[in-house]
Amino acid sequence: MATRKLTELASVIRSKNSGPYELTLDVIFKDKAAYDAVCRSQVINKSTIANLYGISEEEVIGIIEFAPANAIKATIVRPYPSGALGERDVYGAQQHAPLLNLEVSLD
Amino acid sequence: MKEYRVLSPTAILGYGFPEESFRAGLARQPHLIAVDAGSTDPGPYYLGAGVSFTDRAAVKRDLELMIEAGLQLDIPVVIGTAGGAGAQAHLQWNLDIILELAQEKGWRFPLAVIHAELDKETVLKAYHEQKITPLHPAPAITEEEIRAADRIVAQMGPEPVMAALQKGAKVVLAGRAYDPAVFSASALLAGFDKGLAIHMGKILECGAIAASPGSGSDCLLGTLREDCFIVEPLNPNRRCTPTSVAAHTLYEKTNPYILPGPGGVLDLRETTFTQLSEQAVQVAGSKFVPVEPYAVKLEGAKKVGYRTVSIAGCRDPIMIAQIDHIVEAVRERVADNFKKYGYDYFLHFNIYGKNGVMGDLEPNSQITSHELGIIIEAVAETQELANTICSFARSTMLHYGYPGRVATAGNLAFPYSPSDFKAGPVYNFNIYHLLEVADPLALFPAEIIKVGEGQ
């Protein structure tokens, strides 16, 4: 079993608002083989996302595998609504960094 | 073969586009030029304050090219979410630009203006009739929040745009609109499939972002057929691929298979993306599933105070090591100093170099930077009070005698004089809900203005 970093397998790792109350994390893989392998590994799940972001699993709204784009996305509840007092990232575009270090065990 | 071609010049009106790409699009004889002019993405300020996040001169430049081309080709030009947020003030701002252009260019055409701002009585009535439901994870609505909102808009579907086009409008300026609505309305009138038309609109609304390399300031052409649609960039340096187009479908969305919108959902579970040529991708299988009762999204923003910020830097490792303690000490000093007045304020220290971007979501708790950026922010009921709190926090932090301090001349490096910026009113989103409506047109009154005739 080989361990690879997500950054080696994906061409896009990004975060963005999905409306003012949600943050959505997109991982788009370089090819179908990488996508299929990561889907099989089930490494991107509610528990992984909750751990990476220090939130509860209830705050992870969903994990979706989207084959047409070779993508897996996770959506979480924004800790603050976009633009609320104390909020730091109105567009939600810089919340992806914890995913960059994620390691995947491939069979 | 029956075809309907839609030219999307840019992701947001005012973001610009190369004229060469636009001309290449016009050469394909489009049936419609459409553009999305807004978004909730820049945050609640623009809706609340009634101002645009796009620049007037840039919007005017884009509109000049688009409307001139529309009039020359005798095809409609449709603009959605006018002025960035689509409330009355935004619509008027965008209308003034069009009227100014018309006067300068001597244009004459019927212009439809579709309103999307709701008065509070309408929203309160719907609330009491239990027709408003929250969009998870937004909080439930209250009567107090509805009354507190400065502006509330509803997001129209394609129906009000279709009605305006049927009345003969050559240019349609719509208030807050579902992004795909402005790209799909005229094709729906021509009898094309709603699922395909809406999905094509969803891809076109961001201009060439769906291409590779992507760009929000370049053109994309959509060709709708009876059983599929084709999207392609008009700049030879870009191409659409099944991945780039499919990836755009999931952008900013919770679930890319089921996309809710006014009156129904777009179901993409059986959608296929196929490379048709070097640059073009064919999409098929997208379905629109109506949902009863018809519902539209409401967006509201309310003023929560006035903001003052002070920007500073810190290079002293002794201070950096104690930054959390210093922030708390300054916070306490501010509270203590004004305690007899009972001021109500929000004081925040955003420390770049230490969770300044991610806050509580930040997994890394260790400071590894040799310098920190510090933004001191105060929000209060009046600008004067925000100024007072920010100023006092800034001077306290500048001179605070933390343990072990050797740099007794001052703790902060200010890049600017004056050091404090009065940022004006601050707004929060406070309504993000669904509203059931019996008639898709009911909330969106339209008028036709005969531009260039007696004005």
Side-chain angles (χ1 to χ4, degrees):
Chain A
M1 193 178 278
T3 300
R4 304 279 297 275
K5 282 185 78 171
L6 201 57
T7 42
E8 295 173 59
L9 302 167
S11 52
V12 173
I13 299 176
R14 68 186 176 197
S15 66
K16 194 76 204 283
N17 294 339
S18 150
Y21 294 88
E22 295 178 8
L23 192 66
T24 193
L25 307 159
D26 295 346
V27 182
I28 303 173
F29 293 92
K30 286 177 180 166
D31 51 42
K32 187 173 186 309
Y35 166 76
D36 285 341
V38 177
C39 287
R40 271 198 308 277
S41 81
Q42 294 284 303
V43 66
I44 300 179
N45 58 45
K46 283 197 171 189
S47 161
T48 307
I49 298 296
N51 285 334
L52 282 177
Y53 286 87
I55 57 178
S56 71
E57 287 188 30
E58 289 75 54
E59 289 169 292
V60 183
I61 295 166
I63 311 280
I64 300 264
E65 295 171 355
F66 189 57
N70 292 326
I72 304 177
K73 77 187 306 114
T75 303
I76 66 174
V77 177
R78 261 177 153 280
Y80 295 86
S82 170
L85 297 185
E87 206 261 321
R88 293 164 167 86
D89 187 358
V90 167
Y91 290 73
Q94 277 295 304
Q95 306 299 312
H96 61 288
L99 286 168
L100 299 174
N101 296 323
L102 190 64
E103 294 195 335
V104 189
S105 296
L106 301 178
D107 51 28
Chain B
M1 193 181 328
K2 201 177 159 196
E3 267 192 5
Y4 200 91
R5 292 179 295 279
V6 180
L7 175 58
S8 167
T10 184
I12 299 263
L13 183 66
Y15 278 16
F17 46 86
E19 281 192 48
E20 209 172 335
S21 300
F22 188 63
R23 302 280 165 226
L26 297 179
R28 302 288 294 274
Q29 296 184 296
H31 300 87
L32 168 75
I33 301 171
V35 70
D36 174 33
S39 174
T40 55
D41 239 26
Y45 174 80
Y46 303 95
L47 173 60
V51 300
S52 178
F53 62 89
T54 48
D55 176 73
R56 192 181 196 280
V59 166
K60 190 174 171 183
R61 179 268 181 195
D62 288 1
L63 280 176
E64 180 178 345
L65 288 164
M66 291 172 62
I67 297 177
E68 192 155 68
L71 295 175
Q72 272 170 10
L73 296 181
D74 194 27
I75 57 169
V77 175
V78 181
I79 302 138
T81 309
Q88 198 51 36
H90 307 94
L91 201 60
Q92 189 62 47
W93 179 82
N94 209 326
L95 176 60
D96 288 345
I97 297 173
I98 294 176
L99 295 178
E100 187 177 289
L101 272 168
Q103 197 165 37
E104 288 169 11
K105 312 282 290 187
W107 291 337
R108 288 163 67 98
F109 61 86
L111 166 72
V113 177
I114 311 176
H115 302 266
E117 183 168 342
L118 304 186
D119 67 72
K120 284 180 199 168
E121 294 313 314
T122 302
V123 182
L124 284 167
K125 184 165 176 287
Y127 169 72
H128 289 302
E129 289 167 356
Q130 299 184 319
K131 293 201 162 135
I132 300 181
T133 48
L135 271 162
H136 177 80
I141 203 165
T142 62
E143 185 168 335
E144 194 185 2
E145 287 296 324
I146 295 170
R147 291 195 188 280
D150 284 86
R151 286 186 174 77
I152 305 171
V153 290
Q155 202 187 57
M156 72 182 78
E159 296 85 352
V161 181
M162 291 164 74
L165 289 166
Q166 274 181 314
K167 285 182 197 150
K170 286 290 173 194
V171 177
V172 178
L173 181 65
R176 185 64 174 127
Y178 176 51
D179 297 349
V182 294
F183 295 90
S184 60
S186 59
L188 295 177
L189 277 179
F192 284 87
D193 177 76
K194 194 166 182 181
L196 293 171
I198 298 270
H199 190 197
M200 187 169 94
K202 193 150 214 79
I203 293 167
L204 290 179
E205 61 103 350
C206 273
I209 286 180
S212 179
S215 169
S217 51
D218 204 347
C219 312
L220 199 69
L221 184 78
T223 301
L224 188 56
R225 293 185 179 159
E226 283 167 320
D227 58 351
C228 68
F229 66 87
I230 295 148
V231 286
E232 59 196 298
L234 295 153
N235 182 331
N237 297 322
R238 308 184 193 284
R239 58 191 296 255
C240 281
T241 69
T243 315
S244 76
V245 175
H248 184 67
T249 300
L250 63 79
Y251 187 56
E252 298 177 332
K253 297 291 168 285
T254 314
N255 181 341
Y257 289 110
I258 302 288
L259 301 161
V265 298
L266 194 56
D267 181 342
L268 305 186
R269 286 175 297 183
E270 289 172 29
T271 299
T272 56
F273 301 83
T274 315
Q275 193 81 54
L276 197 65
S277 68
E278 182 63 24
Q279 286 200 303
V281 165
Q282 176 177 295
V283 183
S286 312
K287 293 185 187 69
F288 184 82
V289 183
V291 172
E292 293 287 339
Y294 193 103
V296 294
K297 189 163 75 176
L298 298 183
E299 293 160 357
K302 70 166 178 183
K303 195 193 292 176
V304 294
Y306 294 80
R307 175 180 280 139
T308 308
V309 298
S310 187
I311 301 173
C314 173
R315 180 62 182 80
D316 185 307
I318 304 166
M319 170 143 165
I320 287 173
Q322 303 178 63
I323 190 70
D324 289 346
H325 157 74
I326 292 166
V327 164
E328 281 321 300
V330 172
R331 195 186 288 287
E332 283 166 25
R333 192 70 267 287
V334 175
D336 178 71
N337 199 68
F338 297 110
K339 65 176 182 245
K340 71 171 180 171
Y341 300 117
Y343 288 157
D344 188 15
Y345 61 84
F346 170 84
L347 176 61
H348 182 69
F349 298 80
N350 209 27
I351 314 287
Y352 287 103
K354 186 177 191 299
N355 306 353
V357 173
M358 294 193 65
D360 290 344
L361 295 180
E362 176 59 60
N364 186 358
S365 58
Q366 294 286 36
I367 303 176
T368 52
S369 178
H370 64 284
E371 61 185 26
L372 296 177
I374 300 172
I375 294 183
I376 305 170
E377 171 197 12
V379 178
E381 204 174 1
T382 63
Q383 188 72 63
E384 290 70 27
L385 182 54
N387 295 347
T388 298
I389 299 301
C390 182
S391 165
F392 195 81
R394 180 248 305 148
S395 61
T396 303
M397 195 169 211
L398 174 63
H399 297 297
Y400 181 69
Y402 55 86
R405 180 166 79 143
V406 295
T408 53
N411 303 324
L412 300 173
F414 294 103
Y416 308 114
S417 173
S419 60
D420 303 358
F421 297 82
K422 295 151 190 73
V426 182
Y427 295 84
N428 274 358
F429 283 120
N430 74 330
I431 299 174
Y432 195 68
H433 290 71
L434 286 181
L435 167 64
E436 289 175 17
V437 284
D439 172 5
L441 301 181
L443 299 173
F444 308 102
E447 60 197 295
I448 302 268
I449 298 171
K450 289 180 178 163
V451 172
E453 291 177 29
Q455 292 200 20

